[in-house]
Amino acid sequence: MAGNRDRVLQELSGIAVPGGGNLVDSDLIRALNVSDDEVSFVIEAADPMLARALQAAEKEAESRLRALGFQRVRIVTTAPAGRAPSVAASSGAAGTPPPTLKLGRHPTPQAGPQAIPGVQRIVAIGSGKGGVGKSTLTTNLAVALARAGRRVGVLDADIYGPSQPRMLGVTERPRSENDRIIPVHAYGVTMMSLGLMMKEGEAVVWRGPMLMGALQQMLNQVAWGELDVLLVDLPPGTGDVQLSLCQKAPVTGAVIVSTPQDVALIDARRAIDMFDKLRTPVLGLVENMSSYVCPNCGHEAHLFGHGGVAAEAAARGLPFLGEVPLDLSVRLAGDSGRPVAAGEGPVAEAYARLARRLIEDRMA
């Protein structure tokens, strides 16, 4: 079976496509299934015009695969409806479409991780599940790092649920200049988010390839400038965005955020395992919502337990980077677009300690 699959891919890699390259290197093959006497796959074009231009490649693929001895060859060529024509299909020019402020095209092939000019480190902020305060931590950690003198950026990679514009109080739209997207700035942080390109409450209804393409654009098409560290606010789970980030960019490492209880730690372990499989170092773990201090009586309560993340870090031999308390001010500040880390007080100091730890350990 594996040998048959390799033979199929070898044949497909010999079929040229409009604009240069071949079916395999141009990342057009999806859902490839190979058995002893049958092969099926989808050719997924970026737009209908390119799909029509690929008809000759489809016929050649069927002919080649039948010559290999496959009795049944099923090929379907698809494209999203309503997409603008690609450069390759409309003009025959080689290369990728020119940069545009419209995000959500399919990813373009690249040979391994590609450095972002001017960006010294890329740190992914991840968790295995939603609701643990990962985006809130990303925002406030970025502000704390900026207050400590670091040149810091935030890439909001939670494409289905972008929240960084609200948390940083940004309403302006990015602009383009010399075919580059110019990011926005707030509280000393350079930030880019798909949320800046959408109407309030508008849903993103995209398939995986469009997610990956949008991430690639925000990594490579944005004029990030000179940054000591770019924090990437990842979506929950272990899906396409996480995989694409580690394949497309030289990620320095990942910080895992979790609340202390066992249910959250189960998913945090999955996130750690994912980054291990992607060969991305886990820089450490952060316990969020670690404790709650009553503003009236001063009693400290551990609503989600306490110490679970530190114990998990110790068990895995990973650094425990610190705790952040549960506090009403964090929620109020996030909703109002004035990050709590930009002010003073115990919570701001918790984020400042976390920022100092990352700087001291040369992670930021």
Side-chain angles (χ1 to χ4, degrees):
M1 190 78 69
N4 282 348
R5 185 182 179 88
D6 291 341
R7 290 167 61 206
V8 168
L9 289 172
Q10 184 176 0
E11 284 297 323
L12 296 179
S13 66
I15 300 175
V17 299
N22 58 67
L23 284 173
V24 176
D25 291 343
S26 297
D27 194 30
L28 296 173
I29 303 300
R30 301 284 184 271
L32 175 62
N33 288 297
V34 182
S35 64
D36 290 337
D37 62 351
E38 181 177 350
V39 58
S40 64
F41 59 89
V42 174
I43 300 176
E44 189 172 68
D47 55 67
M49 185 175 289
L50 179 56
R52 288 191 292 271
L54 287 168
Q55 289 178 355
E58 178 183 332
K59 291 180 180 178
E60 182 180 353
E62 181 176 359
S63 176
R64 287 192 180 212
L65 295 176
R66 289 192 182 280
L68 286 179
F70 290 101
Q71 299 299 314
R72 291 184 295 276
V73 178
R74 295 185 296 168
I75 307 172
V76 177
T77 300
T78 67
R83 293 288 297 278
S86 70
V87 169
S90 61
S91 67
T96 59
T100 170
L101 270 176
K102 183 177 181 181
L103 296 177
R105 68 190 186 201
H106 281 214
T108 55
Q110 66 180 58
Q114 186 176 58
I116 303 174
V119 177
Q120 300 298 314
R121 303 172 188 85
I122 302 174
V123 174
I125 310 294
S127 64
K129 69 189 304 293
V132 297
K134 168 185 50 59
S135 295
T136 299
L137 185 132
T138 302
T139 301
N140 285 284
L141 176 58
V143 172
L145 286 167
R147 293 187 73 183
R150 308 305 283 173
R151 298 169 299 177
V152 58
V154 168
L155 192 164
D156 189 353
D158 194 350
I159 292 173
Y160 283 136
S163 55
Q164 292 300 330
R166 170 62 65 89
M167 292 185 173
L168 283 167
V170 175
T171 58
E172 64 179 296
R173 290 175 62 87
R175 55 188 176 86
S176 62
E177 183 177 295
N178 297 325
D179 290 333
R180 303 281 285 173
I181 298 174
I182 308 301
V184 299
H185 302 271
Y187 298 97
V189 176
T190 301
M191 189 269 287
M192 181 61 197
S193 169
L194 186 66
L196 298 171
M197 321 285 283
M198 301 161 56
K199 298 177 182 178
E200 182 76 20
E202 183 180 1
V204 176
V205 186
W206 286 350
R207 296 175 298 166
M210 296 177 72
L211 292 178
M212 294 183 282
L215 177 65
Q216 187 179 40
Q217 285 178 272
M218 289 195 290
L219 284 168
N220 300 323
Q221 190 179 323
V222 172
W224 288 105
E226 297 294 325
L227 297 179
D228 295 307
V229 61
L230 175 65
L231 303 181
V232 182
D233 180 14
L234 291 173
T238 56
D240 287 332
V241 171
Q242 289 86 342
L243 176 63
S244 296
L245 174 67
C246 295
Q247 289 178 333
K248 300 292 186 183
V251 180
T252 306
V255 171
I256 303 298
V257 183
S258 180
T259 46
Q261 77 271 33
D262 291 342
V263 171
L265 285 168
I266 290 172
D267 293 313
R269 294 183 190 111
R270 293 192 179 102
I272 294 170
D273 181 63
M274 174 196 67
F275 284 116
D276 286 343
K277 289 177 178 177
L278 294 174
R279 298 183 181 179
T280 299
V282 175
L283 304 177
L285 280 65
V286 176
E287 183 167 288
N288 201 23
M289 308 182 200
S290 182
S291 61
Y292 173 73
V293 177
C294 175
N296 296 319
C297 67
H299 172 70
E300 182 176 353
H302 301 110
L303 304 181
F304 300 103
H306 184 259
V309 178
E312 184 69 23
R316 292 177 171 268
L318 295 171
F320 177 62
L321 301 177
E323 303 174 353
V324 177
L326 174 65
D327 194 276
L328 179 61
S329 64
V330 178
R331 194 273 295 172
L332 294 174
D335 285 349
S336 65
R338 296 188 295 271
V340 69
E344 306 295 335
V347 181
E349 178 54 33
Y351 286 116
R353 286 195 300 270
L354 179 56
R356 288 196 296 268
R357 174 68 186 272
L358 294 183
I359 294 171
E360 291 168 0
D361 292 349
R362 299 182 182 277
M363 301 178 195

